Amino acid sequence: MYQLIFTPSYEKRVAKFLKKHTDIKNQYAKTIQLMELDPFHPSLRIHSLSGKLKDLHSISINISYRISIEFMVKDKKIIPVAIGTHDEVYKS
């Protein structure tokens, strides 16, 4: 299992996001659970980012929303950084 580390800034972002998008709360919860168990699960579509976000990866909640993460495979730690649409997450 992987350890998820939620920073105060991410917790603030996700609370604001889920307040605005109440319809995907269950999808978000399932994504978080699956990310803890197996971040490489095909439905999460994990991939590394490039450019100024080259140290981050992206995981899909659904077709519209993503979570950018700091992903440390060696230590089995995942730190969520941002949540939102493709454009919102990739400009973080």
Side-chain angles (χ1 to χ4, degrees):
M1 245 179 118
Y2 286 75
Q3 178 186 6
L4 288 173
I5 301 168
F6 297 102
T7 63
S9 63
Y10 177 77
E11 287 180 343
K12 188 176 178 179
R13 285 179 182 177
V14 80
K16 184 178 176 182
F17 176 83
L18 291 176
K19 187 176 180 181
K20 185 177 176 183
H21 303 282
T22 57
D23 56 317
I24 68 158
K25 281 185 180 183
N26 289 337
Q27 280 183 302
Y28 173 76
K30 287 178 184 177
T31 300
I32 292 297
Q33 289 172 342
L34 188 54
M35 195 174 7
E36 276 186 306
L37 293 172
D38 179 11
F40 298 103
H41 189 280
S43 69
L44 296 177
R45 297 187 296 277
I46 189 169
H47 61 278
S48 57
L49 300 178
S50 59
K52 67 179 184 169
L53 301 175
K54 67 179 172 26
D55 295 330
L56 300 178
H57 287 73
S58 176
I59 284 188
S60 294
I61 298 172
N62 62 25
I63 216 80
S64 301
Y65 301 109
R66 291 162 173 70
I67 301 172
S68 63
I69 60 170
E70 239 179 270
F71 186 50
M72 293 163 261
V73 177
K74 181 181 168 198
D75 296 332
K76 291 197 145 198
K77 293 183 181 171
I78 298 172
I79 304 170
V81 175
I83 186 169
T85 64
H86 180 279
D87 291 342
E88 291 167 343
V89 167
Y90 296 169
K91 72 175 183 181
S92 294

